[in-house]
């Protein structure tokens, strides 16, 4: 949709450009780079996908535009820039499928809404089952999804091969594919485009996106937050919304809050650009791999989480080796693809693998964290709901179950599935 | 055989041997020692690929891993996507083609082998150029364990591509002498064709060795094609050299435009003349040796455009001697040509303004914009970088412990300096290890001409600048991503301030070459556009891998059967022989069922169940986790970890127990026998054995270290054979003559040591089916003997072997839950209807406090119940959801729970299921509905125990 | 992949170890004296600092001993390791250099 103003002349003798190898251009203007004002109605801490989406929906849905988004580095440079962009809503529990399906519905119209080519591609996702218990768990999820109005089906191995012919469904592998759940509406999007789409629209509403601005403290008076201290000076705020993913514990600590979060490295990688070979998204928890082929042709893969707490945005090499072995079990054709780049994000995990979104014991301080590995797909959905929460002071029905209080009552939303050992 | 583009007397290729290869469908020849790129250039082929966005012809820019342009697809001997022609060693029969952006994966399986080797050393030196060789030699002479890795087939690094002498002789003679000496040191390993690509924690450096790629189809199948070296090094010296930087000017992407140093390499290493008539465009002294050496080899140097006003006299006169015109204060503003550069446009450039342009005909344009130290690995090691404005590059600033650079990687660009720096780096590394380096004599280098400082120039203003939207449209920054100066300026114009954002907006630096030729240039152009210092802007982060590494190499041997260890019981061969099908449970292979000819799984399981309920059946239960617990406080520990009392168990007795997490959710269950006053043996579920042991050790060691208890895994020490069914007593009696099998002498939930089939055995009277049953445990070595003896003894009773599927049916009929199937981490023992296993007497145990939380006290928790479909033939799918109404309302449909287990029961002569249902216990007798294929199946909620509620069968 | 110093076995590769989270979180003296919120703190809440972190590891594929470590969660570097029950290390007293542990 955004055409290059001018493109280099292509001299004769040129080869056809490979289909899909080029991406749509970004707009000529994205955002201002304002200095912070002294005060805002709402300060959002964290300029990642969630913070930017929250800012956008505050303006769009609630007319709140005197808003600053504070980012300690560059916009959307944390997990938003580091995830494998899988979008799906086929979660087990009602609470989870509620917010993720809300998000998926927003994804389906987001490109028009943001007027940005976010490359949302509903190519479907296969979640493979490798054991009899995987089958039970998978079918349970499919039945629950269907009753929750989410497109989901169970595929036998031959049907898996039809959806994704390069998956090795032969029985002769260590953990054969016994079937898969399939959500056709699931897919991928281009993460930077999504973040920048939200940022551009937020900026256009007059919201200040302030980079290189690290929050160093929260001003709390009489149990009520009044503003933030930053590396670019103090900023007063009527309300403060935390959306800092891996750094949520550190920020919450500034308000004297302790969160049930542990921050871990999570690695991902891409291959070189390849001719189209992988038409969908495949995930396998049992052998720890998830992979899709992005628009330009690179294979994008996520690894298992590193076991220990880490803020270093680095993971261990053996995790990648393990992941490659798993990838080749499932996709023998990947053997001679090359790992081109690797990176790691910091995922904030909770005891029940579900997020925490809502109010805090500090008045006017709101919290959105604990998304673990699932944050990207929730971006529009949680932005919508968190904006509602911040604007109205009450949780949106979709994030109401995800309170901090659930860890006291025991009303967890345990998405770990059948892994019954709890530590 | 010679070609017009081979320079006589130059190069290290073996001209006595000719290799045939095919590129883009055309047959070519080359020699051993060539790369695909050098062989193509020797044949006069410069146009080897196409740009990804605009499809423009692309040539060979460089001679090594920094190549952004010459991307090729290997088609034979085996398809491999996207390699750089500059790093593909030529071999006989190679078939390749140029790419325009996307590589192709083969649909055929890759049968090559890949492996991994661990190495440990005192000092790892990366790069066998002058600095690396000097460092290695110095370290080797102290007797240290040294590993030297180098990406090329032949050590020498930059010496391979220059004519600089050492000790008055060709430098490669010195290299040869160094290698000869290194070969004498037993603890020195020199790895050729090996590229370090990752620096991880604690000195772990990963390197990829290409072992047989250069052999093509002649590669022996038994030798691994590629090998990952995991080198754990105490000290690392990065002597990784530097990459030459291009300059952005109009149409700077045409074939025939090459980095000056690379042209020198083509001449000296490969004996290839990359053109006949060249223009040189430089910002620094390093292009002059290239110009002179090429001129001496017969290339006509039409002009040298040096952006500096002052050109050192040494170079000026050397050029004059050869009739080369040096134009100081000049730049190349653009080029002509389509398939190959035909003309360079040269213009004076002073005070930021271009003067009048002159076209200079050429078929080769050599460019040098300065040199970027190769700091990727150093940076991965968390070495910090600083911007050196003098050379326009990022150089090492702060070195982390155990890591240092040497030579050009550290910004030292003279040969003498590199040699000295190598020795110095080795000295620092060794002194950190407490060794002293003896004085190392260095070879004498040639006289160093008096040089002049380089000028930093990122981009030549375009004559087209200022025309609408034309700024930098034809000036390529990242050749592989086809990203131009114009793209960079659009990015900054869009509001982007961070180089990371610019990289993402333009995709610069995200391709194969990781921005080796484009990264610093981008920072420079962005800094100029924003009016900030490059130092302030920084560069994008370096991440592994420094070079692309194939998935297969990373996977190594851990594929197929070796993907994950296969655990089998001592009886496994028997099961295989008797036609069992297997189920993966954790790493274990467990017999799933034993079909007879023509039987479906359902028929086989019905038959196996019937045998267990009416006659006698046996299974292999050896995979159950077994943990021996010994010590005076063993009972105390078990009391704290199980929900029920274990310390009161009498020696000779058995008790069932459940373990919960601190959150009160059931995590495992099994039987506990008291072996002796201070010894228990407990069993865990198959999949959880290791986790339960670790869980117990965690509590024991970290919470209650005062308890005198030892835990030992004995899972594999025992073969465990459940012998099940009304006739089991008779069968056991036949093989255990010393055992009084009567109910009085050997009651339920007791155990006895005896002899079974002549083997010392421990027999437990426990039952996971509700039937009279014994569990025979013998040392694993004797397992097969005892199994076969039991099987033989049971023959008269038509003894039947059964697998996990039948076990599941039998236990479900009795509502014995399977942890992990009937539970999912959200289920308490009370939810399972097992309040009886939760001690009321014990003041505390792990999980107890959580039972008092609000959520646990709810009346409407999900509880385990039985479900009987109204139609006794309908088998509910496991995982099916349960709703309250016979009609399915519009979504979201309120769900009451789900089916956890569902079977066709031979004993009940109908189907049945277990389910977790909200307020399930209270709903017993109610009719609920299971949506299935768009309709609903009515089911009756029942007590979960559906067979032999009174327990009448357990004593036979 | 790190090289972790097991206080019983010496330096071993990271894959031999399992992570055990925050150290020195004692099981409550009397769980029944705690209200639900205090109990939840014990069950679900652990520190998550950016910087030095006292934590537990177990040499799972080795001696199977649990031990305590002080590790920097930013650099991932182990500042100290010590046997369970030993005096808690301070980052300065036992800073781990490449040489100190061998």
């Amino acid at each position: 949709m955004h055409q290059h103003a001018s493109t280099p002349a292509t001299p004769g003798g040129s080869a056809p450009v490979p289909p899909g190898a080029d991406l749509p251009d970004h707009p000529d203007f994205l955002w201002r780079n304002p200095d912070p004002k002294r005060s805002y109605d709402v300060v959002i801490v964290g300029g990642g996908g969630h913070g930017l989406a929250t800012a956008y929906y505050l303006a769009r849905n609630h007319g709140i535009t005197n808003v600053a988004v504070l980012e300690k580095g560059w916009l959307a440079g944390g997990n938003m820039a580091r995830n494998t962009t899988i979008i799906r809503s086929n979660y087990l529990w009602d609470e989870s499928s509620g917010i993720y399906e809300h998000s998926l519905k927003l994804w389906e119209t987001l490109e028009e809404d943001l007027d940005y080519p976010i490359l949302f591609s509903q190519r479907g996702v296969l979640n493979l089952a490798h054991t009899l218990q995987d089958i039970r768990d998978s079918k349970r999820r499919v039945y629950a999804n269907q009753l929750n109005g989410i497109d989901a089906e169970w595929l036998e191995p031959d049907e898996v091969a039809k959806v994704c012919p390069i998956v090795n469904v032969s029985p002769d592998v260590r953990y054969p594919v016994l079937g898969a759940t399939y959500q056709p509406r699931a897919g991928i999007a281009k993460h930077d485009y999504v973040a920048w789409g939200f940022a551009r629209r937020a900026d256009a509403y007059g919201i200040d996106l302030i980079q290189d601005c690290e929050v160093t403290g929260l001003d709390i008076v009489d149990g009520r937050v009044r503003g933030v201290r930053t590396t670019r000076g103090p900023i007063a705020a009527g309300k403060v919304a935390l959306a800092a993913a891996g750094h949520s514990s550190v920020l919450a600590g500034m308000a004297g809050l302790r969160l049930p979060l542990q921050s871990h490295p999570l690695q991902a990688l891409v291959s070189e650009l390849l001719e189209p070979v992988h038409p969908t998204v495949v995930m396998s928890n049992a052998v720890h791999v998830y992979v899709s082929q992005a628009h330009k042709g690179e294979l994008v893969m996520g690894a298992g989480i590193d076991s220990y707490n880490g803020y270093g945005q680095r993971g261990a090499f053996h995790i990648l080796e393990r992941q490659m072995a798993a990838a080749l079990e499932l996709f023998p054709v990947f053997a001679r693809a090359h790992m081109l780049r690797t990176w790691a994000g910091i995922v904030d995990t909770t005891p029940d693998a579900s997020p925490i979104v809502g109010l805090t014991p500090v008045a006017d301080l709101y919290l959105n964290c604990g998304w673990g590995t699932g944050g990207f797909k929730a971006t529009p959905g949680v932005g919508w709901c968190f904006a509602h929460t911040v604007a109205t002071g009450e949780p949106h029905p979709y994030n109401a179950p995800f309170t901090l209080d659930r860890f006291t009552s025991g009303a967890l939303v345990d998405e770990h599935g059948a892994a019954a050992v709890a530590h | 055989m010679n070609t017009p583009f081979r320079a006589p007397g130059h190069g290290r290729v073996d001209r006595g041997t000719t290799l045939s290869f095919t590129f883009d469908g055309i047959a070519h020849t080359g020699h051993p020692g060539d790369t695909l790129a050098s062989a193509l250039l020797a044949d006069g082929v410069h146009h080897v690929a196409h740009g990804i966005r605009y499809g423009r012809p692309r040539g060979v820019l460089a001679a090594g891993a920094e190549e952004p342009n010459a991307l090729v697809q290997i088609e034979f001997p085996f398809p491999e996507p996207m390699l750089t022609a500059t790093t593909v060693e030529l071999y006989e029969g190679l078939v390749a083609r140029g790419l325009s952006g996307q590589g192709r994966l083969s649909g055929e399986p890759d049968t090559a082998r890949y492996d991994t080797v661990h190495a440990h050393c005192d000092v790892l030196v990366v790069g066998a150029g002058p600095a690396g060789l000097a460092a290695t030699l110095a370290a080797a002479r102290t007797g240290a364990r040294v590993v030297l890795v180098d990406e090329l087939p032949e050590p020498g690094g930059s010496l391979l591509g220059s004519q600089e002498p050492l000790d008055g002789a060709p430098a490669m003679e010195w290299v040869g002498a160094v290698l000869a000496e290194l070969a004498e040191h037993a603890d020195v390993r020199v790895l050729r064709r090996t590229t370090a690509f990752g620096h991880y924690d604690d000195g772990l450096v990963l390197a990829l060795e290409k072992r047989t790629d250069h052999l093509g189809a002649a590669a022996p199948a038994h030798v691994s094609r590629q090998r990952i070296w995991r080198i754990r090094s105490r000290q690392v010296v990065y002597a990784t050299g530097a990459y030459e930087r291009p300059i952005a000017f109009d149409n700077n992407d045409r074939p025939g435009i090459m980095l000056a140093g690379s042209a020198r390499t083509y001449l000296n290493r490969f004996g290839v003349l990359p053109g006949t008539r060249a223009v040189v465009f430089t910002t620094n002294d390093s292009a002059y040796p290239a110009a002179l050496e090429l001129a001496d080899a017969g290339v006509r140097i039409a002009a040298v455009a040096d952006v500096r006003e002052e050109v050192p006299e040494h170079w000026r006169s050397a050029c004059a001697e050869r009739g080369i015109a040096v134009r100081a204060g000049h730049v190349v503003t653009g080029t002509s040509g389509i398939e190959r550069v035909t003309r360079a446009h040269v213009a004076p450039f002073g005070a930021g303004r271009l003067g009048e342009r002159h076209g200079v005909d050429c078929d080769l344009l050599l460019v040098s914009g300065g040199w970027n130290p190769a700091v990727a690995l150093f940076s991965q090691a968390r070495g910090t970088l600083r911007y050196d404005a003098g050379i326009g590059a990022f150089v090492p600033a702060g070195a982390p412990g155990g890591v240092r650079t040497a030579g050009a990687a550290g910004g030292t660009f003279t040969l003498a300096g590199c040699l000295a720096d190598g020795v110095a780096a080795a000295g620092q590394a060794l002194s950190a290890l407490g060794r002293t380096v003896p004085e190392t004599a260095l070879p004498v280098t040639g006289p160093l001409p008096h040089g002049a400082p380089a000028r930093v120039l990122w981009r030549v203003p375009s004559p087209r600048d200022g025309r609408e939207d034309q700024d930098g449209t034809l000036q390529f920054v990242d050749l592989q991503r086809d990203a131009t100066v114009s793209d960079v300026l659009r990015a900054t114009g869009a509001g982007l301030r961070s180089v990371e954002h610019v990289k993402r907006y333009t995709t610069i630096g995200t391709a194969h070459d990781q921005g080796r030729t484009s990264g610093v240039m981008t920072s420079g152009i962005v800094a100029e556009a924003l009016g900030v210092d490059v130092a302030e802007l920084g560069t994008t982060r370096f991440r592994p891998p420094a070079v692309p590494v194939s998935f297969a190499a990373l996977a190594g041997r851990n594929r197929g059967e070796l993907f994950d260890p296969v655990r089998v019981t001592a009886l496994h061969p028997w099961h295989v022989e008797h036609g069992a099908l297997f189920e993966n449970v954790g790493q274990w292979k467990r017999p799933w069922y034993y079909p007879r000819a023509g039987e479906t799984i359902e028929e086989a399981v019905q038959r196996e169940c019937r045998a267990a309920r009416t006659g006698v059946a046996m299974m292999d239960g050896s995979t159950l986790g077994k943990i021996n617990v010994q010590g005076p406080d063993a009972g105390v520990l078990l009391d704290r970890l199980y929900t029920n009392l274990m310390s009161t168990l009498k020696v000779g007795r058995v008790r069932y127990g459940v373990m919960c997490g601190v959150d009160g959710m059931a995590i495992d269950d099994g039987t506990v026998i008291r072996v002796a006053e201070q010894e228990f043996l407990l069993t865990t579920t198959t999949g959880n054995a290791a986790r339960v042991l670790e869980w117990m050790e965690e509590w024991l060691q970290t919470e209650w270290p005062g308890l005198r208890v030892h835990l030992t895994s004995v899972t594999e020490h025992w073969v465990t054979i459940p012998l099940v069914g009304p006739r089991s007593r008779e069968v056991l009696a036949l093989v255990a003559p010393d055992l009084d099998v009567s109910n009085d002498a050997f009651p339920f939930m007791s155990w006895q040591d005896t002899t079974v089939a002549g083997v010392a055995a421990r027999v437990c009277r426990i039952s996971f089916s509700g039937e009279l049953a014994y569990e025979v445990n013998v040392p694993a070595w004797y397992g097969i003997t005892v199994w076969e003896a039991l099987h033989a003894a049971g023959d008269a009773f038509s003894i039947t072997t059964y697998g996990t599927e039948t076990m599941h049916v039998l236990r479900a009929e009795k509502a014995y839950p399977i942890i992990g199937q009937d539970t999912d981490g959200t289920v308490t023992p009370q939810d399972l209807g097992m309040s009886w296993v939760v001690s009321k007497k014990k003041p505390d145990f792990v999980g107890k406090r959580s039972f008092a939380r609000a959520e646990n006290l709810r009346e409407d928790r999900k509880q385990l119940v039985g479900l009987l479909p109204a139609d006794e033939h309908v088998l509910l799918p496991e995982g099916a959801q349960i709703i309250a109404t016979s009609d399915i309302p519009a979504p979201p449909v309120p769900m009451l729970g789900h089916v956890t287990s569902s079977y066709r029961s031979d004993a009940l002569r109908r189907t049945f299921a277990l389910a977790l249902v909200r307020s399930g216990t209270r709903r017993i007798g109610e009719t609920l509905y299971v949506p299935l294929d768009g309709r609903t199946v009515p089911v009756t909620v029942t007590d979960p125990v559906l067979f032999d509620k009174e327990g009448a069968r357990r004593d036979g | 992949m790190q090289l972790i110093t097991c206080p019983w076995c010496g330096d071993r590769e990271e894959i031999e170890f399992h992570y055990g989270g925050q150290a020195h979180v004692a099981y409550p003296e009397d769980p029944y004296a705690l209200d639900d919120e205090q109990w939840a703190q014990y069950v679900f809440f652990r520190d998550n600092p950016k910087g030095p972190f006292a934590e537990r590891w177990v040499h799972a594929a080795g001696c199977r001993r649990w031990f305590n470590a002080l590790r920097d969660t930013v650099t991932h570097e182990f500042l100290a390791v010590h046997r369970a029950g030993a005096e808690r290390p301070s980052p300065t007293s036992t800073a781990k250099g490449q040489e100190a542990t061998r």
Side-chain angles (χ1 to χ4, degrees), chain A residues 243-381:
Chain A
H247 284 84
S248 295
S249 295
V250 176
L251 277 169
M254 295 174 190
L257 293 178
R258 196 168 182 237
L259 300 177
L261 297 180
Q262 299 285 287
S263 295
H264 292 271
L266 177 68
Q267 301 182 79
L269 62 94
V270 291
S271 75
E272 71 268 71
L273 309 187
L274 297 165
E275 290 174 11
V277 60
H278 181 21
T280 181
V281 181
V282 172
M283 309 178 69
S284 165
N285 290 338
V287 298
H288 287 300
V289 73
Y290 37 104
V291 57
S292 66
Q293 186 169 19
H295 305 80
K296 284 191 296 181
E298 65 268 44
L299 299 170
V300 181
M301 271 193 212
I305 201 164
D306 278 64
S307 70
Y308 48 75
N309 291 23
Y311 285 88
Q313 292 186 330
R314 299 182 300 119
F317 183 68
H318 67 267
I319 305 271
L320 296 178
E321 288 184 309
R322 184 78 195 152
Q323 180 196 352
M324 283 304 170
L328 294 195
E329 278 286 280
L330 294 177
F331 300 98
V333 302
F334 290 172
R336 294 211 179 179
H338 300 95
M339 179 173 87
L340 215 63
R341 279 177 291 129
T342 68
W343 62 88
I346 309 166
V347 294
D348 46 331
T349 60
T350 60
D352 61 356
S354 285
I356 302 166
V357 188
L359 282 54
T360 71
V362 178
D364 295 328
L365 180 67
Y366 300 90
L367 183 63
N368 168 44
C369 63
W371 288 91
T373 60
F376 176 75
K377 64 181 74 70
T379 301

Side-chain angles (χ1 to χ4, degrees), chain B residues 744-762:
Chain B
D744 291 339
F746 194 178
F748 186 58
M749 295 306 262
S750 68
W751 63 269
Q752 296 197 30
D753 281 345
T754 183
T755 302
V756 176
V759 175
R762 177 168 297 154

Side-chain angles (χ1 to χ4, degrees), chain A residues 72 247 249-250 258-263 265 307-312 314 316-318 351 404 407-408 412, chain C residues 1-2 14-15 19 21-22 36-37 40-41 44-51 53 55 57 71 73-76:
Chain A
K72 75 183 171 77
H247 284 84
S249 295
V250 176
R258 196 168 182 237
L259 300 177
L261 297 180
Q262 299 285 287
S263 295
S307 70
Y308 48 75
N309 291 23
Y311 285 88
R314 299 182 300 119
F317 183 68
H318 67 267
L404 190 51
F407 299 99
T408 297
L412 304 188
Chain C
M1 185 156 64
Q2 295 187 262
E14 181 186 324
I15 50 169
Y19 185 58
Q22 185 180 1
D36 282 357
E37 198 175 334
Q41 284 286 327
F44 293 120
F45 289 68
R46 293 292 180 272
D47 290 346
N48 187 26
K50 187 176 180 181
F53 188 31
E55 58 190 17
W57 288 79
R71 190 181 58 93
T73 60
V74 178
T75 64
H76 298 176

Side-chain angles (χ1 to χ4, degrees), chain B residues 182-526:
Chain B
L182 294 178
E184 299 293 310
H185 292 277
D187 272 349
V188 174
R189 189 196 290 274
V190 178
L191 294 171
R192 293 165 174 82
R193 296 189 172 93
T194 305
T195 309
F197 64 84
H199 187 118
Y200 284 82
D201 295 308
D202 299 323
L204 178 67
V205 175
L206 284 310
L208 175 74
E209 181 185 9
K210 294 182 176 172
R211 305 184 73 212
T212 67
D213 280 0
H214 61 289
L215 300 175
H222 67 282
V223 176
S224 62
R225 174 181 172 244
Q226 296 184 342
R227 168 175 287 174
I228 299 281
W229 286 84
R230 297 178 187 151
I231 306 167
R232 188 64 84 173
S233 48
R234 299 172 72 190
Q235 296 285 326
V236 183
V237 176
Y238 282 117
T240 41
Y243 296 113
E244 199 163 18
R245 188 166 66 225
I247 303 164
F249 48 84
D250 281 2
N251 294 306
N252 59 336
D253 66 326
R254 300 200 196 284
I257 300 177
M258 184 180 282
L259 293 166
S262 299
R264 199 179 172 197
T265 297
Y266 282 113
L267 173 66
N268 293 312
R269 182 175 154 203
F270 302 105
V272 170
L273 297 172
T276 56
R277 186 182 160 91
V279 169
V280 179
F281 175 25
T282 187
T283 63
N284 63 88
D285 288 356
S286 76
Y288 287 91
L292 299 177
E293 289 172 11
L294 285 167
D296 293 346
V299 177
R300 166 88 197 278
I301 308 294
V304 175
D306 190 327
V307 70
R308 300 173 297 179
E309 297 293 342
E310 298 294 328
V311 174
E313 179 50 36
H314 172 86
W315 300 120
R316 192 180 278 281
S317 57
C319 287
E321 280 167 27
R322 293 164 178 84
I324 301 171
V326 176
R327 301 188 190 177
H330 277 61
V331 294
V332 169
T333 64
T335 65
S336 302
I338 292 174
E339 294 276 317
R340 173 98 177 252
V341 64
T342 56
R343 181 176 299 162
H345 306 288
V346 178
F349 180 55
R353 297 168 59 95
L354 292 176
E356 197 182 339
R357 278 181 289 157
H358 297 278
V360 181
D361 289 345
C362 61
D363 61 2
L364 179 66
L365 173 55
L366 302 185
V367 180
S368 179
W371 294 80
N372 298 330
V375 290
L377 288 160
F378 176 79
S379 171
Q380 278 185 33
R382 285 181 285 143
T384 57
L385 305 176
R386 69 178 171 83
Y387 180 67
D388 182 334
I391 61 169
F394 288 89
V395 297
V403 179
R404 50 190 49 77
T405 57
T412 299
F413 294 117
T414 64
L415 179 53
C418 285
L419 291 164
D421 204 28
V423 173
Q428 290 160 15
L430 290 159
S431 73
L433 299 175
R435 291 171 186 260
T436 26
V437 191
E439 201 63 25
T440 305
L442 290 173
V444 178
T445 55
L448 189 65
H450 185 72
R455 171 161 170 199
V456 175
L457 176 70
W458 311 113
R459 172 196 180 214
V460 177
S462 168
R464 299 150 55 92
D465 282 359
R467 288 192 233 163
E468 193 184 347
D469 290 325
Q470 293 291 305
D471 286 19
T473 307
L474 295 173
Q475 302 188 334
F476 290 85
V477 176
D478 187 328
L479 292 154
Q480 197 171 138
R481 288 295 194 225
D482 256 1
T484 63
V485 169
S486 158
D487 293 319
V488 176
L489 297 179
R490 279 187 70 240
T492 55
L496 302 182
R497 298 292 175 266
S498 156
V499 284
E500 294 282 0
H501 276 152
V502 174
K503 162 180 159 182
R504 286 156 188 280
Y505 190 96
T506 60
T507 72
I508 287 172
T510 61
H512 232 75
D513 61 333
Q514 295 234 354
R516 280 184 180 82
T517 53
S518 60
V520 184
M521 194 166 149
T522 306
S523 295
I525 293 167
V526 170

Side-chain angles (χ1 to χ4, degrees), chain A residues 24 79 140 160 185 233 291 382 401:
Chain A
N79 290 350
R140 176 186 178 191
V160 171
R185 284 165 62 240
V291 57
V382 71

Side-chain angles (χ1 to χ4, degrees), chain A residues 43 45 70 214-220 225-231 233-235 240 242 250-256 365:
Chain A
V43 163
V45 183
L70 307 185
E214 182 167 4
V215 170
T216 55
L218 296 171
D219 287 326
I220 295 168
V225 70
R226 294 285 179 80
V228 298
R229 274 165 277 145
T230 80
T231 50
I235 301 171
V240 174
L242 304 182
V250 176
L251 277 169
M254 295 174 190
L365 180 67

Side-chain angles (χ1 to χ4, degrees), chain B residues 807-872:
Chain B
M807 175 187 81
H808 283 191
V809 178
L810 297 173
R811 64 87 205 175
E813 290 166 345
K814 293 289 292 178
Y816 300 143
I818 301 266
I819 302 292
Q821 176 173 343
D822 299 298
T823 71
D824 60 4
T826 69
V827 180
T828 65
Q830 296 91 334
D831 298 337
L832 293 170
M834 299 202 299
S835 296
W836 54 267
V837 85
V838 179
S839 168
K840 310 275 186 301
K841 287 185 208 150
K842 286 196 288 186
D844 193 25
F845 54 82
V846 171
K848 179 174 180 175
R849 171 64 184 82
S850 289
F851 295 151
R853 296 178 304 173
E855 196 65 19
N856 291 66
L857 301 172
R858 286 169 66 133
E859 294 283 312
D860 63 345
R861 285 188 68 81
K862 287 181 182 169
Q863 288 145 345
L864 190 73
V865 292
L867 294 183
L868 292 176
D871 179 343
E872 62 192 31

